[in-house]
Amino acid sequence: MKKKRIDRFPLWGSRLKLFRVMKIITFLMLAGFLQVSASIYSQTAKIKLDVKASSLDDVIQKIQNQTDFVFFYSPNDVEGIHVSNIEFDDVSLEEALD
């Protein structure tokens, strides 16, 4: 006659299967994250501007139209600021803002 084995830990087999699945998912996610390219858009975005006698608000609007960036500012802060002459040809966003 065969004896029945009584497990001290119920559902032990399903726990092992769950841990195995979690390990596989973790490995696949890690492999996927390592494949992601880390290029930064702000360093590769090039701007071409030619502005003469305009307000700072217009300059900011032109930069927003050429890039995917959105600037948040109060119109009262830039109301009286005028730009006399800006001329850029394929410069980075950082250089243009400086």
Side-chain angles (χ1 to χ4, degrees), residues 10-93:
L11 304 175
W12 185 253
S14 63
R15 287 183 183 176
L16 290 176
K17 185 177 180 181
L18 178 66
F19 287 137
R20 192 175 305 129
V21 169
M22 287 172 51
K23 286 179 188 178
I24 292 171
I25 289 173
T26 303
F27 174 74
L28 292 176
M29 287 177 60
L30 179 65
F33 289 142
L34 291 176
Q35 296 297 322
V36 174
S37 175
S39 67
I40 299 173
Y41 177 72
S42 66
Q43 293 177 355
T44 60
K46 300 293 183 183
I47 296 174
K48 182 178 181 179
L49 278 177
D50 188 16
V51 177
K52 294 183 170 100
S54 181
S55 68
L56 184 59
D57 188 39
D58 292 337
V59 173
I60 292 172
Q61 292 298 323
K62 288 182 181 183
I63 292 173
Q64 286 181 356
N65 290 339
Q66 289 185 19
T67 63
D68 292 335
F69 293 102
V70 177
F71 296 96
F72 293 101
Y73 60 93
S74 174
N76 297 334
D77 292 340
V78 296
E79 187 174 326
I81 301 174
H82 294 284
V83 178
S84 59
N85 189 14
I86 294 179
E87 199 170 320
F88 295 127
D89 190 24
D90 289 333
V91 296
S92 67
L93 179 63

